[in-house]
């Protein structure tokens, strides 16, 4: 991988992370178009995902600080409830990470057929959530807003089901944001609640994955970056961070308001093009 390829892949990651169209799937598509070697690509993917996580932290800095300020009051308030529900949502993806890491890595080394099939699944989920999912015309704000019979607009069982959606979304082409938002809507969570919950729930898994890679490299059990040059990792990280920072606010607002059916159509078209030309 050259530094220019890393730059382009980082930009793709930053621009697609906040749309329900699968950033990992688009990374694999652009990887094939650019002729990038597959060695170390999974580590590069984790690195650029970490970059967009950090851009999410910057954009949502105030609500995240409010969450932790409430949590460290050491009483069961709205903030504590919200954090516990995020932790519950992380259980399925943690199990997948610990038990099926090799199978996930195999998926990332597969052909674009996997991406196309998963994009079709993403399209179906987005379409179904538009037709049958929870709707709300009221615009709300804050880290844990919305009105429902559940505290913070989402229950523990809904959080866990959304977490199952995130666990399946480790496959390239199956959009993490699309899957979690669609799953939440189909479970009855309001869109304005689900949009932000979806972006916040990914923070710890991605940061944890990168921390494990650094720990393995420090102890000599693995090579940091999978053999990629530090320049490629740094360029990819910076480009993904800046692109994500630019796109985050606009994309979150778009996901809250736009019909998910349009994103479903986009995923369908891309999947068909892959089947025709790949």
């Amino acid at each position: 991988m050259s530094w220019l390829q890393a730059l382009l892949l980082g930009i793709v990651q930053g621009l697609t992370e906040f749309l329900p169209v699968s950033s990992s799937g688009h990374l694999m598509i652009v990887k094939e178009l650019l002729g990038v070697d597959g060695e170390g690509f999974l580590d590069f993917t984790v690195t650029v995902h970490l970059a967009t996580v950090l851009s999410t932290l910057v954009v949502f800095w105030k609500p995240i600080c409010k969450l932790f300020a409430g949590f460290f009051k050491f009483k069961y308030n709205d903030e504590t409830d919200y954090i516990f529900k995020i932790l519950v949502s992380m259980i399925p993806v943690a199990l997948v990470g610990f038990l099926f890491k090799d199978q996930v890595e195999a998926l990332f080394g597969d052909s674009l057929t996997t991406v196309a099939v998963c994009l079709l699944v993403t399209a179906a989920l987005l379409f179904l959530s538009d037709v049958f999912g929870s709707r709300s015309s009221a615009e709300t704000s804050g880290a844990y807003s919305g009105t429902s019979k559940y505290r913070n607009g989402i229950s523990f069982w809904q959080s866990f089901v959304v977490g199952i959606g995130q666990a399946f979304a480790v496959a390239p082409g199956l959009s993490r944001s699309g899957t979690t938002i669609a799953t939440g809507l189909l479970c009855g969570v309001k869109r304005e609640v689900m949009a932000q919950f979806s972006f916040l729930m990914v923070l710890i898994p991605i940061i944890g994955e990168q921390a494990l890679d650094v720990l393995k490299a420090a102890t000599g059990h693995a090579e940091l970056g999978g053999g990629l040059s530090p320049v490629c990792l740094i360029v990819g990280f910076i480009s993904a961070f800046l692109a994500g920072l630019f796109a985050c606010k606009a994309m979150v607002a778009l996901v809250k308001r736009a019909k998910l059916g349009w994103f479903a159509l986009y995923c369908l078209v891309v999947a068909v093009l892959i089947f025709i030309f790949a």
Side-chain angles (χ1 to χ4, degrees):
M1 182 185 297
S2 69
W3 71 267
L4 182 58
Q5 290 171 329
L7 175 68
L8 294 174
L9 287 167
I11 292 172
V12 168
Q13 164 64 25
L15 294 179
T16 57
E17 173 66 20
F18 303 102
L19 285 177
V21 296
S22 178
S23 60
S24 60
H26 280 73
L27 281 176
M28 288 194 66
I29 292 170
V30 176
K31 165 182 167 286
E32 293 297 322
L33 291 175
L34 296 177
V36 176
D37 192 279
E39 183 180 358
F41 184 69
L42 181 60
D43 295 271
F44 179 84
T45 300
V46 173
T47 300
V48 293
H49 269 84
L50 177 63
T52 48
V53 164
L54 292 180
S55 67
T56 306
L57 286 173
V58 172
V59 172
F60 290 117
W61 181 251
K62 287 185 178 179
I64 289 173
C65 286
K66 185 179 178 182
L67 277 174
F68 281 105
F71 179 78
F72 285 110
K73 289 179 180 177
F74 300 107
K75 60 182 181 180
Y76 199 83
N77 49 29
D78 285 346
E79 292 83 2
T80 302
D81 177 81
Y82 196 80
I83 289 176
F84 282 170
K85 287 169 181 174
I86 288 178
L87 293 175
V88 167
S89 75
M90 288 169 10
I91 294 173
V93 75
L95 292 174
V96 170
F98 283 117
L99 300 178
F100 304 106
K101 183 175 173 59
D102 292 339
Q103 290 86 335
V104 171
E105 290 180 352
L107 281 174
F108 275 84
D110 206 350
S111 69
L112 286 179
T113 302
T114 301
V115 176
V117 172
C118 290
L119 281 172
L120 291 177
V121 175
T122 298
L125 280 172
L126 294 174
F127 175 77
L128 289 173
S129 67
D130 238 9
V131 175
F132 301 107
S134 173
R135 299 169 183 269
S136 175
S137 59
E139 290 301 326
T140 56
S141 61
Y144 27 83
S145 55
T147 56
S148 82
K149 61 182 180 179
Y150 301 117
R151 194 169 190 171
N152 291 318
I154 186 170
S155 69
F156 281 100
W157 75 265
Q158 288 169 329
S159 301
F160 185 76
V161 173
V162 169
I164 294 174
Q166 179 175 236
F168 278 105
V170 296
L174 193 56
S175 168
R176 187 202 61 79
S177 62
T179 301
T180 53
I181 290 171
T183 303
L185 293 178
L186 289 170
C187 287
V189 185
K190 295 183 183 298
R191 182 181 294 209
E192 61 272 14
V193 174
M194 199 57 240
Q196 192 156 298
F197 189 86
S198 170
F199 291 120
L200 291 178
M201 66 187 283
V202 75
L203 297 180
I204 296 177
I206 295 296
I207 293 173
E209 175 72 18
Q210 191 67 19
L212 284 175
D213 287 345
V214 172
L215 181 62
K216 288 178 181 178
T219 56
H221 290 90
E223 186 177 6
L224 186 61
L228 291 177
S229 75
V231 173
C232 289
L233 292 174
I234 292 170
V235 169
F237 182 92
I238 293 174
S239 60
F241 174 77
L242 293 177
L245 199 62
F246 171 78
C248 186
K249 283 189 177 180
M251 296 308 182
V252 171
L254 183 61
V255 170
K256 284 182 178 181
R257 294 174 175 83
K259 278 187 169 293
L260 296 181
W262 292 111
F263 296 111
L265 179 61
Y266 172 82
C267 291
L268 176 63
V269 170
V270 173
V272 170
L273 289 176
I274 291 174
F275 282 126
I276 293 174
F277 296 107

